[in-house]
Amino acid sequence: MIKIPQTLLNYFIKQGVTDEKTSEAIIQEAQKFEKDFGQLLIEKELITDEDLLEVKSQLYKIPKVTFDPQQISSDVLRFVSEDVARFYKVVPLEKVESVLKVGILNPEDLDAMEALKFIAADNGLKLEKYLLGYKNYQAIVKGYSTLTGEVKEALESLKQELGKGEVKAQAKSIPETLTEEAPITKAVAVIIRHAVEGRASDIHIEPQEDKLRIRFRIDGFLTTAIILPKSLHSSISTRIKILSDLKIDETRLPQDGRFSTHVDDKKIDFRVSTFPTRHGEKVVLRILDPLVGLVSLPELGLSGRNLKLVEENLKKPFGSILITGPTGSGKTTTLYAMLRMVNEEGINIVTLEDPIEFLIEGISQSQVQEEIGYTFSSGLRHILRQDPDMIMVGEIRDGETASLATHAALTGHLVFSTLHTNDAIGIIPRFVDMGVQRYLIAPTLNLGLAQRLLRRLCPNCRVKDKANVAEEKTIQQALEELTPADRKKYPSSGFAIWKASEKGCKECGGKAYKGRIAIFEVLEITQQLEQIISTDLSETAIRKEAQRQGMTSMFLDGILKVLEGMVSLEELFQVAELGNA
């Protein structure tokens, strides 16, 4: 039950910031969604975070403070567990001798104050309470997932062994000496393990003017994992270069490498890229976890008509299946899922990739190396001499590759590839722009897919709600695309939708999202579309015919996933806006 600060509530009513009717509505919303009263005032723009902090400080006679999360040590965070911090809205800030300084949001929450007293007494400490702003509190709470546990302990050990918190710069001529020491090796290993366990897809090691920032990309978003002294940069980057078999003395030019290691008895590949910046080499590691990348089509988000079309076209002996979408939209993962479905003993599958992200047993996978002239187009010519039944080309980037892929599809091969367009319909004019003749497109293109990735709502803490007027209108308009038979499966109004939890839970690490799912649109080339392509080639005409056939647009696919509780409407709107940008 959310504790409503009556003193604060009465003050705002008296000051005219809100009235009794509005306050009652806010209280009901706070109880329903388990949101703090003050936080709702900020969200409804009745007051700013800074002004609210000032008012609370004067009202409760408690000093306010803004505290840098990076200055809070792991030893201090241990005094208040993450669960307690999130439940009572309190966080430890600093321990000075026998005094524990804590940040609080609601001084009227007697349960929270009693919990703090118990923690202080249990540790033989005195309490000093400070008021925090909501943004500052949330930033500190996020630090629990990055500063505690094995990662922080390893780095604290590293600091102690290399200089008690401040590591001295090492001579450039002997970087190997430092990287061979156990603390650096352990620190890199722990950072990698923490990223894998946190479901990160990338690790960014970024030197800045006075610090080294390490960020993880989780579910498409970069979050700061930890801040290290700048003096550790050379040692950590050198350790990664040694693992990747890169030149450790070359810091002026970008380098690419790869290495494999075992994390919790699971072999994981890492693709490494270094890039010179003003403050030193930035290192990015792409995590290629086979259990993350090798998933089935339904697990990716394909369902209903879309899934049926893909499965039917995978059985065809020739033609092409093309997937489009921006970088990072999961195209390659979808390709791998298709290849695994058709991978059989009696079929010869050959791929051209840049890079090879996941290894599939039974498939001949080849790495493009443009620096020596081994490109997608030149490689495709050689593949045709390998007696392939199916060919996967990582990406169609130019007219020559597009022409070769088209002729391969025309001469009895099933071709898989990707390219960049806004939607599935855009594949056709894109091929024309690349110089492929119109009369060749329809006979060779079996299927065009477009996709985007959305964060999946945590099934453990998602919140069910009734769609408001605007949301209901959006859903109704999207559902009009459905056939009459499919439309009957959904109500005409009163839609129940799911939203992200405000606090999150243990399952999702307080993020309210866990994993990602794709939204798709699938365009099948039919006789009617073949006539349009050969004569008019109007995107409007193609879209109209696709809709007549019952093509599910990406936005509609997203709406259906909203109604199923997989994604939030807010997330769908954000991705839809990015797609139209």
Side-chain angles (χ1 to χ4, degrees):
M1 178 69 71
I2 295 295
K3 304 293 190 301
I4 304 299
Q6 293 296 327
T7 303
L8 189 64
L9 173 61
N10 295 334
Y11 173 84
F12 282 129
I13 292 175
K14 186 177 179 180
Q15 295 296 319
V17 174
T18 181
D19 54 35
E20 292 187 7
K21 184 177 180 181
T22 303
S23 298
E24 183 61 32
I26 294 175
I27 290 172
Q28 290 179 3
E29 187 175 346
Q31 300 291 6
K32 182 177 181 180
F33 296 108
E34 296 187 349
K35 286 189 175 183
D36 190 271
F37 177 78
Q39 186 176 1
L40 284 173
L41 291 178
I42 296 170
E43 289 181 5
K44 296 181 182 301
E45 299 183 349
L46 296 174
I47 194 170
T48 65
D49 193 13
E50 294 78 11
D51 290 343
L52 177 59
L53 183 60
E54 180 65 35
V55 168
K56 288 162 71 173
S57 179
Q58 295 178 9
L59 198 61
Y60 297 114
K61 309 301 181 187
I62 298 176
K64 61 179 182 177
V65 69
T66 300
F67 216 89
D68 184 358
Q70 301 299 335
Q71 299 301 316
I72 303 176
S73 70
S74 58
D75 291 334
V76 171
L77 285 177
R78 290 192 185 98
F79 285 111
V80 179
S81 70
E82 182 177 357
D83 290 341
V84 171
R86 291 184 181 277
F87 184 79
Y88 290 113
K89 302 292 191 297
V90 297
V91 287
L93 302 175
E94 189 178 21
K95 178 180 174 292
V96 180
E97 296 180 350
S98 62
V99 176
L100 179 64
K101 297 181 180 180
V102 295
I104 62 176
L105 292 181
N106 182 9
E108 294 187 51
D109 188 343
L110 298 180
D111 291 340
M113 298 306 105
E114 286 298 320
L116 285 175
K117 287 181 183 179
F118 175 81
I119 290 170
D122 192 49
N123 290 278
L125 299 172
K126 297 178 182 179
L127 276 179
E128 275 188 16
K129 291 178 284 188
Y130 295 86
L131 285 166
L132 291 175
Y134 286 91
K135 291 180 181 177
N136 196 199
Y137 162 78
Q138 290 165 357
I140 293 172
V141 168
K142 285 182 180 178
Y144 274 95
S145 61
T146 59
L147 294 176
T148 55
E150 190 179 355
V151 173
K152 189 61 180 176
E153 290 175 7
L155 294 171
E156 289 293 339
S157 171
L158 171 65
K159 289 180 182 180
Q160 291 173 8
E161 292 193 37
L162 295 181
K164 297 181 180 180
E166 192 62 40
V167 182
K168 296 180 181 180
Q170 301 293 314
K172 291 184 179 179
S173 59
I174 52 168
E176 302 93 330
T177 304
L178 187 59
T179 56
E180 287 170 0
E181 295 183 19
I184 283 290
T185 303
K186 183 178 180 181
V188 171
V190 168
I191 289 170
I192 288 173
R193 181 180 177 185
H194 189 62
V196 172
E197 291 178 347
R199 299 179 297 104
S201 61
D202 301 86
I203 303 171
H204 289 240
I205 300 171
E206 303 168 315
Q208 299 181 326
E209 186 174 0
D210 57 353
K211 59 189 176 184
L212 178 64
R213 179 174 67 175
I214 296 177
R215 294 193 290 173
F216 297 160
R217 187 178 294 280
I218 302 174
D219 295 337
F221 288 80
L222 278 172
T223 56
T224 298
I226 200 161
I227 300 293
L228 296 175
K230 175 67 178 295
S231 52
L232 286 176
H233 169 246
S234 176
S235 304
I236 289 178
S237 62
T238 300
R239 171 62 184 164
I240 294 172
K241 282 184 174 182
I242 291 172
L243 289 171
S244 312
D245 198 23
L246 300 179
K247 297 178 181 178
I248 60 176
D249 58 345
E250 178 57 81
T251 60
R252 300 167 300 172
L253 295 173
Q255 297 187 70
D256 293 313
R258 192 176 184 124
F259 71 92
S260 299
T261 188
H262 283 80
V263 178
D264 295 331
D265 298 325
K266 179 172 60 175
K267 185 180 179 182
I268 296 178
D269 291 333
F270 294 85
R271 194 175 77 217
V272 179
S273 172
T274 69
F275 186 77
T277 70
R278 180 181 178 184
H279 299 298
E281 279 185 297
K282 175 176 178 176
V283 181
V284 175
L285 291 81
R286 167 62 59 87
I287 301 173
L288 306 175
D289 185 341
L291 297 184
V292 173
L294 302 182
V295 294
S296 67
L297 292 175
E299 289 172 328
L300 287 170
L302 272 168
S303 60
R305 177 181 180 272
N306 288 345
L307 180 60
K308 182 180 178 182
L309 284 174
V310 172
E311 289 176 339
E312 289 175 352
N313 281 272
L314 286 175
K315 296 175 183 178
K316 293 184 177 180
F318 60 88
S320 62
I321 297 177
L322 303 179
I323 307 175
T324 185
T327 301
S329 60
K331 300 187 298 296
T332 303
T333 303
T334 304
L335 278 179
Y336 277 116
M338 291 181 182
L339 288 178
R340 289 202 331 278
M341 287 185 69
V342 297
N343 186 19
E344 297 176 0
E345 177 69 26
I347 296 176
N348 179 25
I349 304 174
V350 187
T351 74
L352 266 179
E353 305 176 55
D354 185 22
I356 298 172
E357 295 198 9
F358 304 102
L359 297 176
I360 305 178
E361 188 175 352
I363 293 180
S364 302
Q365 297 173 261
S366 182
Q367 167 78 53
V368 167
Q369 298 186 56
E370 294 191 356
E371 63 273 13
I372 60 172
Y374 184 43
T375 63
F376 281 121
S377 55
S378 64
L380 192 49
R381 283 192 174 90
H382 291 287
I383 279 182
L384 294 174
R385 301 169 192 158
Q386 289 288 312
D387 186 31
D389 297 298
M390 298 180 184
I391 301 168
M392 191 270 266
V393 182
E395 183 181 347
I396 295 177
R397 298 175 179 172
D398 52 55
E400 187 178 6
T401 307
S403 178
L404 288 168
T406 300
H407 281 89
L410 195 64
T411 55
H413 306 90
L414 188 58
V415 179
F416 304 85
S417 192
T418 72
L419 69 164
H420 293 281
T421 64
N422 284 333
D423 51 30
I425 291 171
I427 292 174
I428 298 167
R430 177 67 175 143
F431 257 44
V432 173
D433 290 342
M434 286 182 170
V436 179
Q437 298 296 320
R438 289 192 197 180
Y439 67 88
L440 291 176
I441 296 176
T444 57
L445 179 59
N446 296 346
L447 212 61
L449 289 81
Q451 66 181 82
R452 299 285 190 280
L453 284 179
L454 282 72
R455 290 180 296 172
R456 188 193 290 264
L457 286 170
C458 174
N460 189 57
C461 65
R462 61 184 180 176
V463 179
K464 194 173 185 178
D465 191 22
K466 183 179 179 181
N468 60 36
V469 176
E471 292 169 338
E472 187 160 299
K473 184 178 179 181
T474 299
I475 295 170
Q476 288 172 337
Q477 289 175 344
L479 292 180
E480 288 177 2
E481 293 183 29
L482 293 172
T483 62
D486 288 334
R487 180 65 182 88
K488 290 179 181 179
K489 298 176 183 177
Y490 300 92
S492 58
S493 61
F495 299 101
I497 61 176
W498 297 84
K499 296 184 178 181
S501 166
E502 181 66 28
K503 298 185 298 182
C505 65
K506 288 184 179 179
E507 292 292 323
C508 59
K511 295 179 175 64
Y513 297 92
K514 188 174 183 181
R516 288 191 287 178
I517 192 168
I519 54 174
F520 291 91
E521 64 180 26
V522 180
L523 177 68
E524 184 181 31
I525 303 301
T526 60
Q527 290 184 351
Q528 293 88 341
L529 277 176
E530 186 172 350
Q531 291 176 359
I532 294 172
I533 295 169
S534 301
T535 56
D536 187 15
L537 197 64
S538 163
E539 283 198 44
T540 304
I542 295 173
R543 188 175 301 279
K544 186 176 180 180
E545 173 59 25
Q547 291 172 347
R548 188 195 68 78
Q549 295 176 8
M551 184 184 82
T552 302
S553 68
M554 276 190 290
F555 189 77
L556 173 57
D557 192 34
I559 289 292
L560 297 180
K561 287 181 170 65
V562 168
L563 295 176
E564 291 175 32
M566 296 181 182
V567 300
S568 68
L569 200 54
E570 292 80 8
E571 180 82 0
L572 176 61
F573 283 148
Q574 183 178 359
V575 172
E577 288 175 4
L578 291 174
N580 294 328

